[in-house]
Amino acid sequence: MNNKAQSIKYRVTLTALWGFTIIYTISFLAGKQLFPFDKWIGALFKPVYAMMFGG
Amino acid sequence: MNHNLNHWQLSLIVFSFIMGSSLLMAPNLTSFFSGQDAWISMILAVIIGFLINILWLFLLKRYQFQSIFALNELTAGKIMGTAVNITIVFYALHLAAYVIRNLSNFMIANVIPESNPWTYQIMIILLAVYTTYYGFNNIARVSEFLNPWMFLLFIGSLLLTINKFEFSNLKPVFDQKFVYIAQGAYSTTGFPFIEIILLGSVFVYVKQKEKLTKSYMAGLLWGGAVLIITVIAVVGVQGDYMVKRQSYPTYELMRNISVVSILERIEVLITVVWIFGILVKVVVCLFAAVSGLKHISGHTSMRVFLLPCAILIWSMANHIHENMMEFTDFVGQNWTMWWFTLYAVIVIFLIAGIMRGKDKQAGT
C-alpha cells in the first residue's frame, strides 16, 4: 500500500474516533442518551436468555 | 515501546485478568442463582472457560499466534475483517468502561462513600494510559513484581477467615436444580473467561511461542482455582442467604476478620489485590483497542489513539448505566452472551480460514 492511501486511512480512523468520542462525551455531559448500548444489547439477548433460563 | 512478554509474564497477566473484577463479584453472581451450590457453578464456569480457551488457542496456534486483527483481515477479507476489527475495538473500550465503573461503584458503596467517583475513574485511566504509552512490557514487569505479594495478601486474608468457616453453609450439596446451577455458571463464564480473548492481541509479542499455550492455560487455571476457593470461602463463612444480598461479598467476608484486637479492618488488603487486577484488565482492554486502531489505520504508532480512547472510556463508564442495580442486572443477564457472540464470529472465521488454507499464509 502506498503512503498516500495509508495516510488517508489514518486520517479517517483518527477523525472518526475523535468524532465519536466528542459526540459521546457531550451527550454524557448534557445528560442525553444518544447511544444506549446497554439497552440495544439487552434487547438483542433478552429473548435468548429467556429461552435458556426462562427469564 | 516495548511490548515483549515472556511466558511467565503472560501467565501472571492472565491470572490478574481473571482475578480483576471477578474476585469480588463472582460469589454474588453465582450464589444469586445457585444458592449454596455456588461453588459447583463456579467449577462449571471454569471448565467451560477452559474448553472455550483451549479451542481459541488451538486455532490461533494454527495461525502462528498472529495478531487477531491481522487474522480477521486474512480470514474474512478486507471489508468484513475491518468490520470485525472495529467491533473488537468497541468491545475492548466497552469492557474497560464497565471495569472502571465497577471500581468506582465499589469505592463509593464500600470504602469512601463521600467521595466523587470521577476521582477513582480518572486516576486509574491515567495510570492505564501511562502504562500503555510505554508498552505492554511495562504492566508485565509490574505484574511480575506485585503478583507474589498480591497472592500472599489474598491467601493470608483468606486463612484468617478459616475460624468462621462452617461446612453446614455448603449443605445440602446439589440441592438446587441443575438449571439454576447452570444459570450461576452462565453469569461467570463470560465474565471473565470469554472476555480474556482480548489477550489475542498481545500473543504476537510473546517470546517462545511453543510455551504460550501452556503458560496461558496455567494462568487461567490458577485464576479459576482462586475464584473457586473464594466462592467456597465466602459461602462457607457467610452462608448463601447473605452472599446473594451483597454486591461485593468477598469484601464483606474480609470485614469479618477479627484476630485479637490488632488485626481488625484488614478488608482493604483484598481491595488492593482487586484494584491491581482491575488495572491489568483496563490496560489489556486499552492495549487491545489501540492495537486494533493502529492496525485499521495502518499507522506506525498506537500512542496517538490513547487520548481519545481514554476520554471515551471515562464518558462511557459514567453514561452506560444509571445505577449499580442496573449495572449488576445487565452483567448477570447479557455479558456472557454478548462476549460469546464475538468469540463465535472470530472462531467461525478462523475455522473457515483453515478450511481454505489461509493458516498457511499467516506470518509469511
Side-chain angles (χ1 to χ4, degrees):
Chain A
M1 194 188 296
N2 61 38
N3 285 342
K4 197 179 171 189
Q6 238 174 2
S7 170
I8 291 170
K9 261 172 69 175
Y10 167 62
R11 271 185 279 170
V12 169
T13 311
L14 195 60
T15 310
L17 178 65
W18 268 116
F20 182 69
T21 302
I22 290 166
I23 293 168
Y24 195 91
T25 308
I26 289 172
S27 80
F28 154 58
L29 294 172
K32 303 267 182 220
Q33 189 58 280
L34 294 181
F35 304 98
F37 294 121
D38 57 318
K39 289 192 174 60
W40 294 341
I41 296 165
L44 194 66
F45 295 117
K46 206 173 178 179
V48 188
Y49 185 83
M51 196 178 72
M52 287 196 309
F53 302 111
Chain B
M1 289 173 105
N2 180 5
H3 300 310
N4 290 335
L5 291 177
N6 61 39
H7 61 275
W8 170 238
Q9 289 170 331
L10 177 71
S11 286
L12 293 177
I13 292 282
V14 172
F15 178 73
S16 299
F17 191 100
I18 297 284
M19 298 263 283
S21 301
S22 306
L23 183 65
L24 292 197
M25 290 184 78
N28 170 273
L29 285 172
T30 47
S31 188
F32 185 78
F33 299 106
S34 48
Q36 77 275 22
D37 289 333
W39 61 279
I40 305 171
S41 294
M42 199 64 238
I43 291 174
L44 201 59
V46 174
I47 293 170
I48 297 168
F50 179 83
L51 296 175
I52 281 173
N53 280 281
I54 277 284
L55 174 64
W56 176 246
L57 288 182
F58 169 76
L59 291 172
L60 290 183
K61 195 175 182 182
R62 291 288 299 258
Y63 290 92
Q64 286 85 48
F65 292 110
Q66 290 295 299
S67 152
I68 45 172
F69 302 108
L71 292 183
N72 286 331
E73 277 189 8
L74 180 74
T75 56
K78 195 81 182 162
I79 296 170
M80 189 60 94
T82 304
V84 176
N85 286 343
I86 292 170
T87 311
I88 297 175
V89 170
F90 177 76
Y91 264 77
L93 295 172
H94 189 243
L95 172 60
Y98 265 80
V99 173
I100 282 166
R101 177 63 181 266
N102 197 7
L103 169 76
S104 61
N105 278 349
F106 170 76
M107 295 303 283
I108 298 302
N110 290 284
V111 187
I112 314 173
E114 303 85 16
S115 55
N116 190 318
W118 289 12
T119 317
Y120 311 108
Q121 294 169 356
I122 292 170
M123 279 199 300
I124 200 143
I125 290 173
L126 285 179
L127 202 54
V129 168
Y130 177 82
T131 304
T132 314
Y133 185 87
Y134 285 104
F136 202 77
N137 183 260
N138 204 31
I139 193 72
R141 281 188 294 151
V142 173
S143 200
E144 219 171 355
F145 173 71
L146 282 179
N147 252 309
W149 297 104
M150 298 296 140
F151 193 70
L152 210 66
L153 284 178
F154 171 73
I155 293 295
S157 310
L158 221 54
L159 286 175
L160 290 172
T161 63
I162 275 184
N163 58 347
K164 299 206 166 126
F165 189 90
E166 287 178 34
F167 274 105
S168 59
N169 283 333
L170 300 173
K171 290 177 184 171
V173 180
F174 283 109
D175 184 46
Q176 305 290 333
K177 285 181 186 167
F178 183 74
V179 68
Y180 296 126
I181 294 175
Q183 206 167 356
Y186 164 85
S187 56
T188 41
T189 302
F191 167 75
F193 296 106
I194 307 182
E195 56 191 27
I196 201 167
I197 61 168
L198 283 181
L199 271 174
S201 58
V202 303
F203 288 162
V204 71
Y205 303 111
V206 177
K207 291 182 274 185
Q208 297 175 293
K209 292 212 171 40
E210 64 280 3
K211 290 183 181 172
L212 193 149
T213 305
K214 207 173 151 187
S215 313
Y216 180 94
M217 293 318 290
L220 190 128
L221 287 177
W222 268 105
V226 165
L227 291 184
I228 294 168
I229 293 168
T230 306
V231 172
I232 293 173
V234 171
V235 178
V237 172
Q238 303 193 95
D240 68 296
Y241 180 82
M242 288 304 292
V243 175
K244 58 175 78 161
R245 280 161 182 77
Q246 298 163 342
S247 299
Y248 303 99
T250 315
Y251 184 76
E252 301 296 334
L253 166 78
M254 299 303 169
R255 276 189 170 163
N256 290 328
I257 295 173
S258 176
V259 184
V260 291
S261 55
I262 49 161
L263 278 175
E264 301 246 359
R265 303 300 310 263
I266 57 169
E267 65 270 15
V268 81
L269 291 181
I270 203 76
T271 312
V272 175
V273 178
W274 187 66
I275 291 177
F276 177 68
I278 284 204
L279 174 67
V280 170
K281 209 163 174 173
V282 175
V283 170
V284 170
C285 293
L286 191 59
F287 184 83
V290 292
S291 301
L293 288 164
K294 181 188 160 196
H295 183 87
I296 294 164
S297 67
H299 196 54
T300 48
S301 172
M302 56 177 73
R303 284 177 175 169
V304 71
F305 302 108
L306 280 171
L307 184 62
C309 284
I311 296 172
L312 188 57
I313 289 171
W314 169 73
S315 52
M316 219 190 267
N318 287 289
H319 207 32
I320 31 178
H321 292 296
E322 285 181 11
N323 54 56
M324 218 159 107
M325 293 313 294
E326 206 182 285
F327 174 91
T328 312
D329 188 52
F330 177 84
V331 170
Q333 280 199 18
N334 303 308
W335 206 244
T336 299
M337 201 75 74
W338 166 240
W339 275 89
F340 187 75
T341 308
L342 178 70
Y343 171 83
V345 167
I346 302 174
V347 162
I348 288 167
F349 281 134
L350 290 177
I351 293 172
I354 290 171
M355 287 162 75
R356 290 185 298 151
K358 295 273 184 186
D359 52 326
K360 308 279 186 300
Q361 297 169 26
T364 54

